[in-house]
Amino acid sequence: MAAPAFSNTIVSSTFPASHSSLPKFSSLSFPSSRSPPPPTQFRNARATRRFTTFCSSDVLNGPKEDTPIELRYPAFPTSLDINKIRDILPHRFPFLLVDRVIEYNPGVSAVAIKNVTINDNFFPGHFPERPIMPGVLMVEAMAQVGGLVMLQPEVGGSQENFFFAGIDKVRFRKPVIAGDTLVMRMTLIKLQKRFGIAKMEGKAYVGGEVVCEGEFLMATGSGSE
């Protein structure tokens, strides 16, 4: 296939002297069937290139205002503070693993948080060089949230204890490390009041991603654990 024919017209020779600020093209030529574009078209093209250079999808999708990072994230709400949690649960240091309840539907569900800190007593041994929250303690923390669902203050929750009757389908998806906030949701699936047996579904999250999940079977009873 033959190459298209081009004329020998040179662009720089067709511009008036008043357009000396435009870049000089010493060898650019155009097909003979088309006339050279006006100088204003080059100006618009240059302006468009400048705009494209400084714009990106990150800028377009970014925040509308430059808010400091420490002001961007609101605090978790408080449905039950640590004092009310201690009124319901019998656990104490070093085994109370719930810091705040952020959503509470007694007898139905609860969402609570555990702030994982390097000062937690299990980190010196698990592990000294890589502090990871033990999976069994994640399960224990979730069970305590389940206890908050079952041991309601209006029925004298602090008068009773609850025990593991079984755990099933427990999976650990990601490690939880010092500095994470563990967000745990426990939902009551089935309750047998006659026997004091409750089946619950639990999921724990860090940053919106599931790190642990499973099914819990728990029993309530009087007396000390």
Side-chain angles (χ1 to χ4, degrees), residues 77-165:
T78 302
S79 293
L80 297 177
D81 62 17
I82 189 61
N83 294 316
K84 292 181 180 179
I85 292 171
R86 286 164 57 89
D87 289 339
I88 302 172
L89 295 179
H91 304 76
R92 293 296 182 266
F93 176 85
F95 233 69
L96 179 56
L97 301 175
V98 182
D99 293 321
R100 180 188 299 182
V101 176
I102 62 178
E103 182 182 276
Y104 191 44
N105 297 306
V108 180
S109 66
V111 182
I113 63 173
K114 157 65 178 167
N115 293 308
V116 184
T117 168
I118 194 63
N119 291 318
D120 282 316
N121 69 320
F122 48 80
F123 276 138
H126 197 278
F127 299 100
E129 301 301 325
R130 189 185 180 192
I132 298 176
M133 184 176 184
V136 291
L137 292 185
M138 280 191 272
V139 172
E140 170 64 26
M142 295 166 70
Q144 291 182 17
V145 180
L148 292 169
V149 177
M150 298 168 60
L151 307 178
Q152 305 170 41
E154 55 268 26
V155 296
S158 60
Q159 304 295 319
E160 299 184 20
N161 291 321
F162 66 95
F163 308 89
F164 267 129

Side-chain angles (χ1 to χ4, degrees), residues 28-30 39 81 85 93 99 119 122 128 131-132 146 169 187 191 195 224:
L28 182 61
S29 62
F30 296 90
D81 62 17
I85 292 171
F93 176 85
D99 293 321
N119 291 318
F122 48 80
I132 298 176
K169 300 179 182 178
T187 304
L191 175 63
F195 301 102
S224 59

Side-chain angles (χ1 to χ4, degrees), residues 22-96:
L22 295 174
K24 294 182 180 181
F25 299 90
S26 60
S27 60
L28 182 61
S29 62
F30 296 90
S32 57
S33 60
R34 296 178 59 187
S35 59
T40 55
Q41 186 170 335
F42 279 95
R43 292 198 190 98
N44 293 336
R46 293 179 64 196
T48 302
R49 284 196 297 270
R50 285 197 299 270
F51 176 79
T52 304
T53 300
F54 290 100
C55 286
S56 66
S57 59
D58 294 337
V59 174
L60 295 177
N61 297 330
K64 299 299 181 181
E65 55 183 355
D66 189 14
T67 305
I69 191 170
E70 64 270 20
L71 303 179
R72 293 179 193 172
Y73 305 100
F76 283 106
T78 302
S79 293
L80 297 177
D81 62 17
I82 189 61
N83 294 316
K84 292 181 180 179
I85 292 171
R86 286 164 57 89
D87 289 339
I88 302 172
L89 295 179
H91 304 76
R92 293 296 182 266
F93 176 85
F95 233 69
L96 179 56

